[in-house]
Amino acid sequence: MMAAMSTGGGEPGSQAESRTSRSPQAMLERRYARLGLLLIAPSIVVFSAVIIYPLLAAIYLSLFELYTPTLEGGFVGLSNYRELLARGEFWVSLRNTLVWTAGTLSLQIVFGIGMALMLHQNVWFRSLARSLILFPYFVSTVVAVLVWRWLFNDLYGILNHLLVEARLIDMPIDYLGAMPNAMISIILVGAWKYFPFVVIAVLARLQTIPDVLYEAARIDGAGPIARFFDVTLPQLREVLLVIVLLRAIWDFKEFDLIFLLTGGGPVISTQTLSLLVYKEAFALNQMGMGAAYGVVMMAIMLVFMIFYIRQARKGDSS
Amino acid sequence: MMRRILFNLSVWSAVLIVAFPLFWMVVTSLKPQVELWARPPALLPLEPTLEHYLTLLRDTSFLVYFRNSVLLSTATTLLVIGVAALGAYSLVRFRYRGRESLAMLVLFTYLLPSVILILPLYLMMVKLGLANTLVSLVLAYTTFALPYALWLLRSFMAGIPEDLESAALVDGATRLGAFRDVILPQLLPGIISTALFTFILSWNEYLFALVLVNSDATRPLTTGVMNMLISSFNIEWSMLMAASVMMSLPLIIAFSLLQKYLTRGFGAGAVKG
């Protein structure tokens, strides 16, 4: 009876047991397994219809030359891939994607850890401060972009006004229409929008570091900086790895923020792979070529994804 | 003491710099048009006005977009939570072959780029005759909402002590009976916060709405408001800021409800993996 009840539990032996015996417990186990499958069935159906099928269809589409509005065209095999690797635009977009990801991710991590360390201390109105910090993360990208485009406005934007007042610049800056400003601007706005995620995750981990460790370090004569490097950072190592992987994946595939801030411009200077897929499929109406870009993009992401999933699996089993 | 004050001041200036764009959004939305062009710009509106909000509600399709967003996000949330609650129960409390792989598949799909899924989904919706409907968006939104909710609920479910369920089973309850009477009440906080997060995700979605829907009658807020920026001859920033504020209101409400679940939801869903 006990074995049957721990079906959902963690008894490693219970499964093997059920296969060999024909006892009532074993039958109950089999019934439960069937019920379990029945309960997950709706999820599997939805997954297959809206994720697995489209994923496979995207790979299939990448072998065709298709005109999006009419869906006319034919099978071309791997020629889309040959063409895209030969195109300069693909390599430019890949480089942009890497610059954007590396830039915004490192800022997110640095600001995120810094802010988490500050908010971990006893600050006046701490919960209000935390809520204010979190807000950029929850607000819609559309709202974030509208606000920043207003701040960046060349004639009436407050940013240019303040910088001119402070005599840091003579002429208003064109934040989004010139390079390298446009890339720097999207990296900064991306950091502003997504660093709260790092804050939350690090803050949650900081709260579980035992005080004894700090006391021991203090007795050993370690100052605040030494304590950070000897106690805090090693304790954060694991969570930071997960954060970096997750954010790298999300930043790599970011579409909304860049599309709405610069649209990939000037020309294609801030065009990332996500934007390239969209442009090819829906602006240039080359559905097959767009799919091919998408597949290549996913192949690159797969490296991070597999790494992350392995990491998550480790955390899951412990 | 001096050091404490300095520390607090520096923390709060950092916080205020981060929050400034949102403060500026509210201030701009309340300024009359003339003050917008004033040099130097006033930090607070001299004569605060609600005229931009009124124009927004009266002269634009904002309310239609708003209704669409509410319908869309509510439908997505209900659908996803229903499916995911059962799925999470199955993934945590039942044993069958492929269970672990399924859990990892959920995580994998959670990381997939929407920009790839949208191409076949677009073709699918056209073929099904669903293009330009809210239904097509609800279906498309499940691509990110379902993996998210499943993963989050799975970790909430794992936190419920197993003894409770076992006790109910000893007392003669069926598995589904135990799910209804024992698990669901325990899972309720998890369900509420997952629902709120799912709602926020759907509320903020842009790409699917951009591709799948292109008439004013079916546009949600994200593409609708963005369209006001693109299609207007001279950009009315105060009205756009008013739209941004209105668009963020439901988030602020959800946010204050979420406060106590926030860290937990984050930790469970995204960070612990």
Side-chain angles (χ1 to χ4, degrees):
Chain A
M1 191 60 202
M2 277 321 285
M5 286 202 316
S6 55
T7 10
E11 226 122 305
S14 61
Q15 224 170 5
E17 210 175 289
S18 70
R19 240 176 265 131
T20 49
S21 69
R22 296 191 61 79
S23 57
Q25 288 104 303
M27 274 168 63
L28 197 59
E29 292 248 334
R30 267 199 297 280
R31 272 229 324 265
Y32 281 169
R34 255 199 308 260
L35 181 60
L37 283 172
L38 196 68
L39 291 173
I40 194 80
S43 302
I44 294 179
V45 169
V46 176
F47 266 110
S48 314
V50 300
I51 302 174
I52 307 294
Y53 163 74
L55 196 59
L56 298 175
I59 298 171
Y60 182 68
L61 277 176
S62 73
L63 305 174
F64 286 79
E65 195 184 304
L66 281 181
Y67 183 62
T68 310
T70 57
L71 293 180
E72 274 167 17
F75 185 81
V76 292
L78 291 175
S79 87
N80 281 336
Y81 290 97
R82 267 195 298 276
E83 199 185 323
L84 79 84
L85 291 176
R87 271 193 203 176
E89 192 174 7
F90 168 75
W91 297 104
V92 172
S93 304
L94 177 61
R95 204 205 56 203
N96 291 341
T97 313
L98 294 176
V99 171
W100 143 261
T101 305
T104 199
L105 177 63
S106 36
L107 289 182
Q108 287 164 23
I109 299 292
V110 171
F111 291 155
I113 295 178
M115 188 55 86
L117 288 174
M118 293 207 273
L119 291 181
H120 187 55
Q121 308 296 319
N122 222 340
V123 187
W124 301 329
F125 304 106
R126 181 154 68 169
S127 65
L128 178 65
R130 283 186 187 178
S131 305
L132 285 175
I133 287 297
L134 286 184
F135 208 63
Y137 188 72
F138 283 98
V139 97
S140 164
T141 306
V142 167
V143 170
V145 164
L146 284 174
V147 173
W148 277 99
R149 278 172 70 159
W150 170 231
L151 293 170
F152 282 151
N153 189 288
D154 44 0
L155 291 177
Y156 305 104
I158 184 121
L159 225 53
N160 268 329
H161 175 76
L162 289 178
L163 290 178
V164 171
E165 281 296 287
R167 314 240 167 223
L168 288 170
I169 53 171
D170 305 324
M171 291 285 292
I173 294 179
D174 185 359
Y175 290 95
L176 298 170
M179 280 302 276
N181 306 4
M183 183 57 92
I184 296 172
S185 299
I186 60 171
I187 286 176
L188 284 175
V189 176
W192 173 82
K193 176 103 177 65
Y194 295 119
F195 93 102
F197 177 82
V198 183
V199 176
I200 283 273
V202 171
L203 211 46
R205 182 68 183 81
L206 281 177
Q207 279 156 1
T208 64
I209 300 179
D211 284 331
V212 219
L213 293 180
Y214 288 106
E215 268 151 42
R218 206 169 285 147
I219 290 166
D220 290 346
I225 293 169
R227 284 203 296 274
F228 172 73
F229 282 103
D230 295 342
V231 180
T232 313
L233 215 50
Q235 289 280 324
L236 289 180
R237 217 183 67 96
E238 219 163 296
V239 79
L240 279 179
L241 178 64
V242 173
I243 296 171
V244 167
L245 282 171
L246 255 186
R247 286 265 29 119
I249 293 168
W250 283 334
D251 291 335
F252 193 88
K253 67 175 186 172
E254 176 67 43
F255 176 84
D256 302 2
L257 190 112
I258 305 169
F259 181 75
L260 293 171
L261 269 178
T262 66
V267 199
I268 57 164
S269 319
T270 55
Q271 176 177 285
T272 59
L273 289 175
S274 285
L275 270 72
L276 181 59
V277 175
Y278 174 83
K279 182 171 101 177
E280 199 68 39
F282 296 109
L284 303 176
N285 285 322
Q286 297 298 321
M287 185 64 91
M289 196 65 193
Y293 279 127
V295 171
V296 174
M297 176 183 159
M298 217 178 61
I300 301 170
M301 280 179 66
L302 216 53
V303 183
F304 297 96
M305 286 163 83
I306 290 171
F307 202 55
Y308 171 73
I309 286 174
R310 281 178 57 182
Q311 196 64 27
R313 198 171 216 162
K314 246 197 306 184
D316 217 37
S317 55
S318 67
Chain B
M1 188 59 204
M2 202 54 208
R3 259 181 69 183
R4 252 193 81 64
I5 292 175
L6 273 177
F7 174 74
N8 269 292
L9 287 181
S10 49
V11 172
W12 267 96
S13 19
V15 171
L16 290 179
I17 289 173
V18 171
F20 179 78
L22 303 161
F23 165 76
W24 200 238
M25 158 178 98
V26 178
V27 168
T28 308
S29 76
L30 296 172
K31 277 183 179 175
Q33 205 71 25
V34 278
E35 283 185 42
L36 219 54
W37 317 130
R39 300 278 94 174
L43 203 57
L44 288 171
L46 303 172
E47 289 169 49
T49 167
L50 290 174
E51 60 175 305
H52 307 297
Y53 289 89
L54 288 175
T55 328
L56 186 70
L57 298 180
R58 255 191 262 135
D59 304 342
T60 69
S61 312
F62 185 83
L63 279 177
V64 179
Y65 304 150
F66 200 92
R67 190 207 61 192
N68 289 340
S69 272
V70 170
L71 283 176
L72 185 57
S73 309
T74 312
T76 308
T77 306
L78 290 178
L79 173 71
V80 158
I81 294 292
V83 171
L86 295 179
Y89 181 47
S90 166
L91 283 179
V92 176
R93 290 293 159 83
F94 288 86
R95 294 201 153 253
Y96 43 84
R97 269 177 44 195
R99 189 186 67 142
E100 281 302 307
S101 322
L102 264 175
M104 287 305 136
L105 183 75
V106 173
L107 189 57
F108 174 74
T109 52
Y110 177 46
L111 303 173
L112 281 177
S114 325
V115 78
I116 294 168
L117 299 177
I118 186 66
L119 311 183
L121 279 175
Y122 168 77
L123 298 181
M124 191 161 109
M125 298 308 171
V126 171
K127 214 174 281 172
L128 292 173
L130 290 174
N132 232 346
T133 63
L134 286 180
V135 178
S136 74
L137 283 184
V138 172
L139 290 176
Y141 284 9
T142 55
T143 58
F144 59 83
L146 184 60
Y148 178 77
L150 247 178
W151 197 252
L152 203 53
L153 280 176
R154 179 176 173 264
S155 47
F156 278 118
M157 186 83 72
I160 299 175
E162 226 162 289
D163 317 358
L164 287 172
E165 196 186 356
S166 311
L169 291 179
V170 172
D171 289 347
T174 60
R175 284 305 284 265
L176 285 179
F179 177 70
R180 198 190 54 219
D181 299 332
V182 181
I183 303 275
L184 269 188
Q186 290 277 321
L187 193 61
L188 202 60
I191 289 183
I192 292 172
S193 54
T194 309
L196 284 171
F197 277 119
T198 310
F199 189 91
I200 292 177
L201 276 184
S202 316
W203 187 266
N204 290 344
E205 203 283 333
Y206 177 77
L207 176 62
F208 287 125
L210 176 69
V211 172
L212 292 176
V213 153
N214 56 23
S215 75
D216 257 0
T218 39
R219 264 197 199 107
L221 276 172
T222 46
T223 49
V225 169
M226 217 55 218
N227 217 40
M228 289 200 235
L229 171 75
I230 297 158
S231 59
S232 61
F233 179 63
N234 48 15
I235 301 171
E236 291 190 52
W237 282 108
S238 4
M239 199 180 79
L240 284 171
M241 291 301 108
S244 302
V245 172
M246 297 275 288
M247 205 174 150
S248 310
L249 273 184
L251 297 188
I252 296 170
I253 295 167
F255 209 66
S256 44
L257 294 175
L258 269 176
Q259 272 296 335
K260 62 178 159 175
Y261 304 119
L262 212 61
T263 329
R264 223 186 131 198
F266 255 101
V271 179
K272 235 182 82 197

